[in-house]
PDB file of all heavy atoms in Angstrom:
ATOM      1  N   ARG P   2       0.504   2.251  -0.733  1.00 96.00           N
ATOM      2  CA  ARG P   2       1.239   3.463  -0.811  1.00 96.00           C
ATOM      3  C   ARG P   2       0.377   4.658  -0.486  1.00 96.00           C
ATOM      4  O   ARG P   2      -0.926   4.548  -0.636  1.00 96.00           O
ATOM      5  CB  ARG P   2       1.790   3.671  -2.219  1.00 96.00           C
ATOM      6  CG  ARG P   2       2.820   2.598  -2.538  1.00 96.00           C
ATOM      7  CD  ARG P   2       3.417   2.569  -3.961  1.00 96.00           C
ATOM      8  NE  ARG P   2       3.994   3.835  -4.371  1.00 96.00           N
ATOM      9  CZ  ARG P   2       5.234   4.135  -4.209  1.00 96.00           C
ATOM     10  NH1 ARG P   2       6.093   3.258  -3.507  1.00 96.00           N
ATOM     11  NH2 ARG P   2       5.771   5.188  -4.662  1.00 96.00           N
ATOM     12  N   PHE P   3       0.919   5.674   0.028  1.00 97.00           N
ATOM     13  CA  PHE P   3       0.220   6.941   0.448  1.00 97.00           C
ATOM     14  C   PHE P   3       0.538   8.048  -0.482  1.00 97.00           C
ATOM     15  O   PHE P   3       1.744   8.219  -0.858  1.00 97.00           O
ATOM     16  CB  PHE P   3       0.483   7.245   1.880  1.00 97.00           C
ATOM     17  CG  PHE P   3       0.112   6.125   2.836  1.00 97.00           C
ATOM     18  CD1 PHE P   3       1.040   5.188   3.192  1.00 97.00           C
ATOM     19  CD2 PHE P   3      -1.161   6.187   3.425  1.00 97.00           C
ATOM     20  CE1 PHE P   3       0.505   4.191   4.084  1.00 97.00           C
ATOM     21  CE2 PHE P   3      -1.617   5.245   4.303  1.00 97.00           C
ATOM     22  CZ  PHE P   3      -0.708   4.200   4.662  1.00 97.00           C
ATOM     23  N   ARG P   4      -0.482   8.888  -0.706  1.00 97.00           N
ATOM     24  CA  ARG P   4      -0.174  10.093  -1.531  1.00 97.00           C
ATOM     25  C   ARG P   4      -0.462  11.360  -0.734  1.00 97.00           C
ATOM     26  O   ARG P   4      -1.390  11.389   0.010  1.00 97.00           O
ATOM     27  CB  ARG P   4      -1.177  10.175  -2.691  1.00 97.00           C
ATOM     28  CG  ARG P   4      -0.961  11.221  -3.805  1.00 97.00           C
ATOM     29  CD  ARG P   4      -1.777  10.968  -4.932  1.00 97.00           C
ATOM     30  NE  ARG P   4      -3.176  11.306  -4.656  1.00 97.00           N
ATOM     31  CZ  ARG P   4      -4.071  11.560  -5.595  1.00 97.00           C
ATOM     32  NH1 ARG P   4      -3.767  11.547  -6.863  1.00 97.00           N
ATOM     33  NH2 ARG P   4      -5.280  11.941  -5.197  1.00 97.00           N
ATOM     34  N   ALA P   5       0.448  12.437  -0.881  1.00 97.00           N
ATOM     35  CA  ALA P   5       0.460  13.530  -0.005  1.00 97.00           C
ATOM     36  C   ALA P   5       0.388  14.776  -1.045  1.00 97.00           C
ATOM     37  O   ALA P   5       1.143  14.771  -2.049  1.00 97.00           O
ATOM     38  CB  ALA P   5       1.537  13.675   0.898  1.00 97.00           C
ATOM     39  N   LEU P   6      -0.516  15.663  -0.746  1.00 97.00           N
ATOM     40  CA  LEU P   6      -0.462  16.952  -1.480  1.00 97.00           C
ATOM     41  C   LEU P   6      -0.087  18.089  -0.558  1.00 97.00           C
ATOM     42  O   LEU P   6      -0.754  18.277   0.528  1.00 97.00           O
ATOM     43  CB  LEU P   6      -1.919  17.312  -2.028  1.00 97.00           C
ATOM     44  CG  LEU P   6      -2.162  18.564  -2.697  1.00 97.00           C
ATOM     45  CD1 LEU P   6      -1.316  18.693  -3.921  1.00 97.00           C
ATOM     46  CD2 LEU P   6      -3.647  18.809  -2.967  1.00 97.00           C
ATOM     47  N   VAL P   7       1.005  18.761  -0.859  1.00 97.00           N
ATOM     48  CA  VAL P   7       1.507  19.805   0.053  1.00 97.00           C
ATOM     49  C   VAL P   7       1.585  21.165  -0.683  1.00 97.00           C
ATOM     50  O   VAL P   7       1.967  21.181  -1.842  1.00 97.00           O
ATOM     51  CB  VAL P   7       2.965  19.386   0.504  1.00 97.00           C
ATOM     52  CG1 VAL P   7       3.637  20.439   1.298  1.00 97.00           C
ATOM     53  CG2 VAL P   7       2.923  18.065   1.344  1.00 97.00           C
ATOM     54  N   VAL P   8       1.074  22.175  -0.029  1.00 97.00           N
ATOM     55  CA  VAL P   8       1.239  23.545  -0.467  1.00 97.00           C
ATOM     56  C   VAL P   8       2.205  24.274   0.386  1.00 97.00           C
ATOM     57  O   VAL P   8       2.043  24.264   1.648  1.00 97.00           O
ATOM     58  CB  VAL P   8      -0.177  24.286  -0.507  1.00 97.00           C
ATOM     59  CG1 VAL P   8      -0.014  25.594  -1.067  1.00 97.00           C
ATOM     60  CG2 VAL P   8      -1.147  23.402  -1.381  1.00 97.00           C
ATOM     61  N   THR P   9       3.200  24.929  -0.145  1.00 97.00           N
ATOM     62  CA  THR P   9       4.283  25.599   0.601  1.00 97.00           C
ATOM     63  C   THR P   9       4.174  27.064   0.140  1.00 97.00           C
ATOM     64  O   THR P   9       4.009  27.353  -1.014  1.00 97.00           O
ATOM     65  CB  THR P   9       5.637  25.023   0.292  1.00 97.00           C
ATOM     66  OG1 THR P   9       5.611  23.662   0.520  1.00 97.00           O
ATOM     67  CG2 THR P   9       6.656  25.679   1.253  1.00 97.00           C
ATOM     68  N   GLY P  10       4.292  27.958   1.104  1.00 96.00           N
ATOM     69  CA  GLY P  10       4.335  29.416   0.676  1.00 96.00           C
ATOM     70  C   GLY P  10       4.955  30.225   1.855  1.00 96.00           C
ATOM     71  O   GLY P  10       5.030  29.794   2.974  1.00 96.00           O
ATOM     72  N   ASP P  11       5.415  31.409   1.527  1.00 95.00           N
ATOM     73  CA  ASP P  11       6.008  32.276   2.539  1.00 95.00           C
ATOM     74  C   ASP P  11       5.031  33.449   2.884  1.00 95.00           C
ATOM     75  O   ASP P  11       5.441  34.274   3.674  1.00 95.00           O
ATOM     76  CB  ASP P  11       7.311  32.870   1.937  1.00 95.00           C
ATOM     77  CG  ASP P  11       7.127  33.846   0.783  1.00 95.00           C
ATOM     78  OD1 ASP P  11       6.002  34.037   0.211  1.00 95.00           O
ATOM     79  OD2 ASP P  11       8.142  34.445   0.385  1.00 95.00           O
ATOM     80  N   ARG P  12       3.786  33.422   2.458  1.00 94.00           N
ATOM     81  CA  ARG P  12       2.743  34.373   2.739  1.00 94.00           C
ATOM     82  C   ARG P  12       3.276  35.821   2.329  1.00 94.00           C
ATOM     83  O   ARG P  12       2.758  36.798   2.868  1.00 94.00           O
ATOM     84  CB  ARG P  12       2.411  34.435   4.201  1.00 94.00           C
ATOM     85  CG  ARG P  12       1.656  33.082   4.626  1.00 94.00           C
ATOM     86  CD  ARG P  12       1.166  33.291   6.067  1.00 94.00           C
ATOM     87  NE  ARG P  12       0.235  32.194   6.329  1.00 94.00           N
ATOM     88  CZ  ARG P  12       0.578  31.030   6.888  1.00 94.00           C
ATOM     89  NH1 ARG P  12       1.843  30.869   7.214  1.00 94.00           N
ATOM     90  NH2 ARG P  12      -0.372  30.094   7.098  1.00 94.00           N
ATOM     91  N   ASN P  13       4.209  35.862   1.376  1.00 93.00           N
ATOM     92  CA  ASN P  13       4.687  37.075   0.881  1.00 93.00           C
ATOM     93  C   ASN P  13       4.869  37.137  -0.551  1.00 93.00           C
ATOM     94  O   ASN P  13       5.778  37.769  -1.139  1.00 93.00           O
ATOM     95  CB  ASN P  13       6.085  37.374   1.651  1.00 93.00           C
ATOM     96  CG  ASN P  13       6.443  38.901   1.531  1.00 93.00           C
ATOM     97  OD1 ASN P  13       5.498  39.670   1.264  1.00 93.00           O
ATOM     98  ND2 ASN P  13       7.702  39.153   1.746  1.00 93.00           N
ATOM     99  N   GLY P  14       4.022  36.341  -1.296  1.00 92.00           N
ATOM    100  CA  GLY P  14       4.059  36.392  -2.762  1.00 92.00           C
ATOM    101  C   GLY P  14       4.725  35.096  -3.433  1.00 92.00           C
ATOM    102  O   GLY P  14       4.681  34.996  -4.628  1.00 92.00           O
ATOM    103  N   LYS P  15       5.195  34.215  -2.689  1.00 95.00           N
ATOM    104  CA  LYS P  15       5.715  32.897  -3.221  1.00 95.00           C
ATOM    105  C   LYS P  15       4.909  31.709  -2.716  1.00 95.00           C
ATOM    106  O   LYS P  15       4.558  31.631  -1.483  1.00 95.00           O
ATOM    107  CB  LYS P  15       7.086  32.767  -2.718  1.00 95.00           C
ATOM    108  CG  LYS P  15       8.157  33.622  -3.485  1.00 95.00           C
ATOM    109  CD  LYS P  15       9.574  33.228  -3.150  1.00 95.00           C
ATOM    110  CE  LYS P  15      10.441  34.179  -3.950  1.00 95.00           C
ATOM    111  NZ  LYS P  15      11.930  33.869  -3.698  1.00 95.00           N
ATOM    112  N   VAL P  16       4.601  30.751  -3.641  1.00 97.00           N
ATOM    113  CA  VAL P  16       3.839  29.655  -3.361  1.00 97.00           C
ATOM    114  C   VAL P  16       4.197  28.582  -4.247  1.00 97.00           C
ATOM    115  O   VAL P  16       4.587  28.727  -5.459  1.00 97.00           O
ATOM    116  CB  VAL P  16       2.252  29.944  -3.387  1.00 97.00           C
ATOM    117  CG1 VAL P  16       1.779  30.225  -4.779  1.00 97.00           C
ATOM    118  CG2 VAL P  16       1.366  28.866  -2.830  1.00 97.00           C
ATOM    119  N   GLY P  17       4.091  27.266  -3.797  1.00 96.00           N
ATOM    120  CA  GLY P  17       4.401  26.121  -4.573  1.00 96.00           C
ATOM    121  C   GLY P  17       3.561  24.971  -4.074  1.00 96.00           C
ATOM    122  O   GLY P  17       3.153  24.886  -3.035  1.00 96.00           O
ATOM    123  N   ILE P  18       3.390  23.998  -5.059  1.00 97.00           N
ATOM    124  CA  ILE P  18       2.605  22.736  -4.669  1.00 97.00           C
ATOM    125  C   ILE P  18       3.452  21.503  -5.027  1.00 97.00           C
ATOM    126  O   ILE P  18       4.292  21.575  -5.982  1.00 97.00           O
ATOM    127  CB  ILE P  18       1.228  22.763  -5.421  1.00 97.00           C
ATOM    128  CG1 ILE P  18       1.370  22.664  -6.905  1.00 97.00           C
ATOM    129  CG2 ILE P  18       0.351  23.798  -4.947  1.00 97.00           C
ATOM    130  CD1 ILE P  18       0.132  22.361  -7.695  1.00 97.00           C
ATOM    131  N   GLY P  19       3.192  20.441  -4.268  1.00 97.00           N
ATOM    132  CA  GLY P  19       3.891  19.163  -4.428  1.00 97.00           C
ATOM    133  C   GLY P  19       2.930  18.021  -4.223  1.00 97.00           C
ATOM    134  O   GLY P  19       2.184  18.026  -3.282  1.00 97.00           O
ATOM    135  N   LEU P  20       2.886  17.063  -5.145  1.00 97.00           N
ATOM    136  CA  LEU P  20       2.092  15.812  -5.029  1.00 97.00           C
ATOM    137  C   LEU P  20       2.934  14.690  -5.303  1.00 97.00           C
ATOM    138  O   LEU P  20       3.508  14.477  -6.347  1.00 97.00           O
ATOM    139  CB  LEU P  20       0.911  15.889  -6.086  1.00 97.00           C
ATOM    140  CG  LEU P  20       0.028  14.666  -6.029  1.00 97.00           C
ATOM    141  CD1 LEU P  20      -0.741  14.693  -4.700  1.00 97.00           C
ATOM    142  CD2 LEU P  20      -0.889  14.734  -7.243  1.00 97.00           C
ATOM    143  N   LYS P  21       3.203  13.763  -4.256  1.00 97.00           N
ATOM    144  CA  LYS P  21       4.064  12.660  -4.247  1.00 97.00           C
ATOM    145  C   LYS P  21       3.510  11.447  -3.506  1.00 97.00           C
ATOM    146  O   LYS P  21       2.665  11.640  -2.683  1.00 97.00           O
ATOM    147  CB  LYS P  21       5.408  12.969  -3.730  1.00 97.00           C
ATOM    148  CG  LYS P  21       6.299  13.897  -4.660  1.00 97.00           C
ATOM    149  CD  LYS P  21       6.689  13.129  -5.893  1.00 97.00           C
ATOM    150  CE  LYS P  21       7.610  13.944  -6.724  1.00 97.00           C
ATOM    151  NZ  LYS P  21       8.061  13.182  -7.946  1.00 97.00           N
ATOM    152  N   LYS P  22       4.019  10.207  -3.873  1.00 97.00           N
ATOM    153  CA  LYS P  22       3.602   9.066  -3.236  1.00 97.00           C
ATOM    154  C   LYS P  22       4.750   8.469  -2.425  1.00 97.00           C
ATOM    155  O   LYS P  22       5.936   8.711  -2.716  1.00 97.00           O
ATOM    156  CB  LYS P  22       3.201   7.945  -4.266  1.00 97.00           C
ATOM    157  CG  LYS P  22       1.791   8.249  -4.876  1.00 97.00           C
ATOM    158  CD  LYS P  22       1.471   7.126  -5.778  1.00 97.00           C
ATOM    159  CE  LYS P  22       0.089   7.317  -6.486  1.00 97.00           C
ATOM    160  NZ  LYS P  22      -0.197   6.233  -7.298  1.00 97.00           N
ATOM    161  N   GLY P  23       4.524   7.716  -1.442  1.00 96.00           N
ATOM    162  CA  GLY P  23       5.494   7.101  -0.576  1.00 96.00           C
ATOM    163  C   GLY P  23       4.965   5.889   0.148  1.00 96.00           C
ATOM    164  O   GLY P  23       3.688   5.687   0.244  1.00 96.00           O
ATOM    165  N   THR P  24       5.853   5.052   0.728  1.00 96.00           N
ATOM    166  CA  THR P  24       5.428   3.841   1.366  1.00 96.00           C
ATOM    167  C   THR P  24       4.833   4.152   2.692  1.00 96.00           C
ATOM    168  O   THR P  24       3.955   3.292   3.156  1.00 96.00           O
ATOM    169  CB  THR P  24       6.593   2.936   1.524  1.00 96.00           C
ATOM    170  OG1 THR P  24       7.618   3.613   2.286  1.00 96.00           O
ATOM    171  CG2 THR P  24       7.147   2.345   0.209  1.00 96.00           C
ATOM    172  N   ASP P  25       5.056   5.207   3.315  1.00 96.00           N
ATOM    173  CA  ASP P  25       4.411   5.638   4.495  1.00 96.00           C
ATOM    174  C   ASP P  25       4.016   7.132   4.385  1.00 96.00           C
ATOM    175  O   ASP P  25       4.549   7.839   3.558  1.00 96.00           O
ATOM    176  CB  ASP P  25       5.163   5.273   5.778  1.00 96.00           C
ATOM    177  CG  ASP P  25       6.426   6.063   5.933  1.00 96.00           C
ATOM    178  OD1 ASP P  25       6.963   6.605   4.941  1.00 96.00           O
ATOM    179  OD2 ASP P  25       7.021   6.098   7.037  1.00 96.00           O
ATOM    180  N   VAL P  26       3.255   7.655   5.347  1.00 97.00           N
ATOM    181  CA  VAL P  26       2.735   8.989   5.185  1.00 97.00           C
ATOM    182  C   VAL P  26       3.815  10.070   5.253  1.00 97.00           C
ATOM    183  O   VAL P  26       3.987  10.973   4.631  1.00 97.00           O
ATOM    184  CB  VAL P  26       1.643   9.260   6.345  1.00 97.00           C
ATOM    185  CG1 VAL P  26       1.270  10.768   6.301  1.00 97.00           C
ATOM    186  CG2 VAL P  26       0.448   8.377   6.115  1.00 97.00           C
ATOM    187  N   ALA P  27       4.826   9.738   6.329  1.00 97.00           N
ATOM    188  CA  ALA P  27       5.907  10.655   6.521  1.00 97.00           C
ATOM    189  C   ALA P  27       6.782  10.772   5.177  1.00 97.00           C
ATOM    190  O   ALA P  27       7.222  11.949   4.912  1.00 97.00           O
ATOM    191  CB  ALA P  27       6.745  10.205   7.606  1.00 97.00           C
ATOM    192  N   GLU P  28       7.063   9.674   4.599  1.00 97.00           N
ATOM    193  CA  GLU P  28       7.795   9.686   3.351  1.00 97.00           C
ATOM    194  C   GLU P  28       7.113  10.514   2.317  1.00 97.00           C
ATOM    195  O   GLU P  28       7.716  11.283   1.480  1.00 97.00           O
ATOM    196  CB  GLU P  28       8.115   8.238   2.892  1.00 97.00           C
ATOM    197  CG  GLU P  28       8.957   8.240   1.603  1.00 97.00           C
ATOM    198  CD  GLU P  28       9.246   6.821   1.132  1.00 97.00           C
ATOM    199  OE1 GLU P  28       8.766   5.817   1.784  1.00 97.00           O
ATOM    200  OE2 GLU P  28       9.767   6.627   0.009  1.00 97.00           O
ATOM    201  N   ALA P  29       5.890  10.262   2.084  1.00 97.00           N
ATOM    202  CA  ALA P  29       5.079  10.979   1.068  1.00 97.00           C
ATOM    203  C   ALA P  29       5.023  12.447   1.331  1.00 97.00           C
ATOM    204  O   ALA P  29       5.255  13.274   0.385  1.00 97.00           O
ATOM    205  CB  ALA P  29       3.578  10.405   1.026  1.00 97.00           C
ATOM    206  N   VAL P  30       4.949  12.785   2.596  1.00 97.00           N
ATOM    207  CA  VAL P  30       4.888  14.259   2.881  1.00 97.00           C
ATOM    208  C   VAL P  30       6.243  14.882   2.735  1.00 97.00           C
ATOM    209  O   VAL P  30       6.357  16.023   2.122  1.00 97.00           O
ATOM    210  CB  VAL P  30       4.409  14.452   4.351  1.00 97.00           C
ATOM    211  CG1 VAL P  30       4.610  15.884   4.839  1.00 97.00           C
ATOM    212  CG2 VAL P  30       3.011  14.106   4.540  1.00 97.00           C
ATOM    213  N   ALA P  31       7.296  14.193   3.077  1.00 97.00           N
ATOM    214  CA  ALA P  31       8.729  14.707   2.847  1.00 97.00           C
ATOM    215  C   ALA P  31       8.922  14.873   1.297  1.00 97.00           C
ATOM    216  O   ALA P  31       9.445  15.969   0.886  1.00 97.00           O
ATOM    217  CB  ALA P  31       9.697  13.783   3.380  1.00 97.00           C
ATOM    218  N   LYS P  32       8.612  13.912   0.499  1.00 97.00           N
ATOM    219  CA  LYS P  32       8.769  14.058  -0.972  1.00 97.00           C
ATOM    220  C   LYS P  32       7.976  15.197  -1.545  1.00 97.00           C
ATOM    221  O   LYS P  32       8.464  15.978  -2.304  1.00 97.00           O
ATOM    222  CB  LYS P  32       8.355  12.754  -1.676  1.00 97.00           C
ATOM    223  CG  LYS P  32       9.340  11.550  -1.450  1.00 97.00           C
ATOM    224  CD  LYS P  32       8.745  10.355  -2.260  1.00 97.00           C
ATOM    225  CE  LYS P  32       9.723   9.227  -2.203  1.00 97.00           C
ATOM    226  NZ  LYS P  32       9.168   8.071  -2.928  1.00 97.00           N
ATOM    227  N   ALA P  33       6.732  15.312  -1.119  1.00 97.00           N
ATOM    228  CA  ALA P  33       5.770  16.357  -1.625  1.00 97.00           C
ATOM    229  C   ALA P  33       6.348  17.780  -1.206  1.00 97.00           C
ATOM    230  O   ALA P  33       6.271  18.638  -2.043  1.00 97.00           O
ATOM    231  CB  ALA P  33       4.414  16.164  -1.128  1.00 97.00           C
ATOM    232  N   THR P  34       6.841  17.886   0.037  1.00 97.00           N
ATOM    233  CA  THR P  34       7.379  19.117   0.560  1.00 97.00           C
ATOM    234  C   THR P  34       8.520  19.500  -0.306  1.00 97.00           C
ATOM    235  O   THR P  34       8.696  20.727  -0.716  1.00 97.00           O
ATOM    236  CB  THR P  34       7.726  19.000   1.928  1.00 97.00           C
ATOM    237  OG1 THR P  34       6.537  18.642   2.698  1.00 97.00           O
ATOM    238  CG2 THR P  34       8.282  20.331   2.520  1.00 97.00           C
ATOM    239  N   THR P  35       9.430  18.536  -0.614  1.00 97.00           N
ATOM    240  CA  THR P  35      10.611  18.902  -1.395  1.00 97.00           C
ATOM    241  C   THR P  35      10.166  19.345  -2.848  1.00 97.00           C
ATOM    242  O   THR P  35      10.788  20.372  -3.347  1.00 97.00           O
ATOM    243  CB  THR P  35      11.501  17.632  -1.591  1.00 97.00           C
ATOM    244  OG1 THR P  35      11.864  17.190  -0.283  1.00 97.00           O
ATOM    245  CG2 THR P  35      12.769  17.904  -2.375  1.00 97.00           C
ATOM    246  N   GLN P  36       9.255  18.713  -3.423  1.00 97.00           N
ATOM    247  CA  GLN P  36       8.789  19.123  -4.763  1.00 97.00           C
ATOM    248  C   GLN P  36       8.075  20.400  -4.694  1.00 97.00           C
ATOM    249  O   GLN P  36       8.289  21.281  -5.592  1.00 97.00           O
ATOM    250  CB  GLN P  36       7.762  18.038  -5.281  1.00 97.00           C
ATOM    251  CG  GLN P  36       7.310  18.413  -6.724  1.00 97.00           C
ATOM    252  CD  GLN P  36       6.237  17.461  -7.240  1.00 97.00           C
ATOM    253  OE1 GLN P  36       5.503  16.887  -6.470  1.00 97.00           O
ATOM    254  NE2 GLN P  36       6.140  17.358  -8.508  1.00 97.00           N
ATOM    255  N   SER P  37       7.258  20.707  -3.634  1.00 96.00           N
ATOM    256  CA  SER P  37       6.659  22.010  -3.593  1.00 96.00           C
ATOM    257  C   SER P  37       7.643  23.180  -3.473  1.00 96.00           C
ATOM    258  O   SER P  37       7.395  24.269  -4.009  1.00 96.00           O
ATOM    259  CB  SER P  37       5.666  22.046  -2.374  1.00 96.00           C
ATOM    260  OG  SER P  37       6.271  21.963  -1.167  1.00 96.00           O
ATOM    261  N   ARG P  38       8.730  22.896  -2.782  1.00 96.00           N
ATOM    262  CA  ARG P  38       9.759  23.962  -2.621  1.00 96.00           C
ATOM    263  C   ARG P  38      10.473  24.159  -4.012  1.00 96.00           C
ATOM    264  O   ARG P  38      10.947  25.337  -4.241  1.00 96.00           O
ATOM    265  CB  ARG P  38      10.792  23.673  -1.550  1.00 96.00           C
ATOM    266  CG  ARG P  38      10.146  23.733  -0.192  1.00 96.00           C
ATOM    267  CD  ARG P  38      11.230  23.533   0.943  1.00 96.00           C
ATOM    268  NE  ARG P  38      10.617  23.638   2.194  1.00 96.00           N
ATOM    269  CZ  ARG P  38      10.892  22.997   3.255  1.00 96.00           C
ATOM    270  NH1 ARG P  38      11.915  22.124   3.191  1.00 96.00           N
ATOM    271  NH2 ARG P  38      10.306  23.073   4.389  1.00 96.00           N
ATOM    272  N   LYS P  39      10.604  23.137  -4.785  1.00 96.00           N
ATOM    273  CA  LYS P  39      11.191  23.287  -6.199  1.00 96.00           C
ATOM    274  C   LYS P  39      10.305  24.030  -7.059  1.00 96.00           C
ATOM    275  O   LYS P  39      10.758  24.645  -8.035  1.00 96.00           O
ATOM    276  CB  LYS P  39      11.521  21.927  -6.652  1.00 96.00           C
ATOM    277  CG  LYS P  39      12.756  21.261  -6.003  1.00 96.00           C
ATOM    278  CD  LYS P  39      13.066  19.957  -6.550  1.00 96.00           C
ATOM    279  CE  LYS P  39      14.178  19.214  -5.875  1.00 96.00           C
ATOM    280  NZ  LYS P  39      14.420  17.915  -6.455  1.00 96.00           N
ATOM    281  N   ASN P  40       8.940  23.983  -6.849  1.00 93.00           N
ATOM    282  CA  ASN P  40       8.006  24.594  -7.846  1.00 93.00           C
ATOM    283  C   ASN P  40       7.508  25.915  -7.330  1.00 93.00           C
ATOM    284  O   ASN P  40       6.388  26.339  -7.795  1.00 93.00           O
ATOM    285  CB  ASN P  40       6.744  23.569  -7.983  1.00 93.00           C
ATOM    286  CG  ASN P  40       7.113  22.278  -8.635  1.00 93.00           C
ATOM    287  OD1 ASN P  40       8.087  22.201  -9.366  1.00 93.00           O
ATOM    288  ND2 ASN P  40       6.433  21.191  -8.337  1.00 93.00           N
ATOM    289  N   LEU P  41       8.228  26.611  -6.577  1.00 95.00           N
ATOM    290  CA  LEU P  41       7.791  27.971  -6.045  1.00 95.00           C
ATOM    291  C   LEU P  41       7.632  28.938  -7.239  1.00 95.00           C
ATOM    292  O   LEU P  41       8.529  28.953  -8.123  1.00 95.00           O
ATOM    293  CB  LEU P  41       8.731  28.466  -5.069  1.00 95.00           C
ATOM    294  CG  LEU P  41       8.737  27.865  -3.641  1.00 95.00           C
ATOM    295  CD1 LEU P  41       9.796  28.488  -2.804  1.00 95.00           C
ATOM    296  CD2 LEU P  41       7.358  28.069  -2.988  1.00 95.00           C
ATOM    297  N   ILE P  42       6.541  29.665  -7.208  1.00 94.00           N
ATOM    298  CA  ILE P  42       6.392  30.742  -8.222  1.00 94.00           C
ATOM    299  C   ILE P  42       6.156  32.107  -7.487  1.00 94.00           C
ATOM    300  O   ILE P  42       5.728  32.126  -6.291  1.00 94.00           O
ATOM    301  CB  ILE P  42       5.200  30.457  -9.160  1.00 94.00           C
ATOM    302  CG1 ILE P  42       3.845  30.445  -8.248  1.00 94.00           C
ATOM    303  CG2 ILE P  42       5.355  29.256  -9.904  1.00 94.00           C
ATOM    304  CD1 ILE P  42       2.570  30.443  -9.050  1.00 94.00           C
TER     305      ILE P  42
END
Side-chain angles (χ1 to χ4, degrees):
R2 295 174 59 85
F3 296 91
R4 186 170 74 161
L6 174 65
V7 175
V8 180
T9 306
D11 65 353
R12 292 187 169 93
N13 199 18
K15 286 189 179 178
V16 68
I18 60 170
L20 180 67
K21 286 291 184 178
K22 287 183 180 178
T24 53
D25 64 345
V26 175
E28 181 185 354
V30 170
K32 286 180 175 181
T34 302
T35 303
Q36 184 186 26
S37 70
R38 288 188 181 144
K39 287 180 182 178
N40 293 335
L41 284 176
I42 61 166

